[in-house]
């Protein structure tokens, strides 16, 4: 698939029952949290449209929609840091996807294992 111009609008083979349940952002996306399946480690947040979710469910590899590049990308195709899908779940409002994966190597584009290790904010409590 080539680059798209604004929002993902590719016709999708996503199961219509799943598609009907999804609550998407105005740009047609849902946030997708990747979590290491066996440790519970939160790895990253990406974005999926219906087609990206369909590809994730049917290929066993996480496919995301890149908002900056306006194209689909499969985690690991460039970096070698693959996400092998173990399970996919919708939250109670059907507006967020949780993908439990077996992460190979780093999840973060910076080379870190997770996107959430580098900038931990201090808690301020009374």
């Amino acid at each position: 698939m080539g680059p798209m111009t604004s929002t993902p609008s590719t016709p999708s083979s996503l199961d219509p029952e799943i598609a009907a349940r999804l609550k998407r952002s105005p740009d047609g996306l849902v946030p997708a949290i990747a979590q290491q399946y066996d440790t519970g480690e939160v790895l990253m947040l990406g974005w999926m449209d219906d087609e990206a979710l369909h590809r994730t469910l049917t290929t066993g590899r996480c496919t995301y929609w890149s908002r900056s590049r306006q194209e689909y990308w499969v985690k690991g195709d460039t970096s070698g840091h693959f996400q092998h899908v173990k399970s996919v779940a919708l939250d109670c409002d059907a507006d967020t996807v949780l993908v439990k994966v077996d992460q190979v190597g780093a999840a973060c584009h910076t080379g870190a294992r997770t996107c959430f290790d580098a900038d931990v904010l201090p808690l301020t409590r009374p």
Side-chain angles (χ1 to χ4, degrees), residues 49-123:
D49 69 348
D50 289 22
E51 181 60 18
L53 180 55
H54 168 70
R55 294 179 190 188
T56 298
L57 291 168
T58 58
T59 66
R61 301 261 316 280
C62 280
T63 300
Y64 299 99
W65 173 257
S66 171
R67 296 177 302 165
S68 60
R69 295 188 311 269
Q70 294 288 296
E71 65 184 7
Y72 294 103
W73 59 281
V74 179
K75 183 68 173 171
D77 275 0
T78 303
S79 66
H81 297 159
F82 300 105
Q83 290 178 340
H84 300 287
V85 176
K86 297 293 187 176
S87 68
V88 179
L90 294 176
D91 76 339
C92 59
D93 294 323
D95 64 0
T96 305
V97 176
L98 176 63
V99 186
K100 293 189 179 183
V101 302
D102 190 10
Q103 176 71 51
V104 175
C108 186
H109 73 282
T110 65
R113 170 76 180 163
T114 169
C115 294
F116 297 100
D117 277 348
D119 197 7
V120 179
L121 305 177
L123 298 176

Side-chain angles (χ1 to χ4, degrees), residues 35-43 101 113:
Q35 179 181 36
Q36 178 63 32
Y37 82 100
D38 54 355
T39 65
E41 180 181 28
V42 177
L43 300 169
V101 302
R113 170 76 180 163

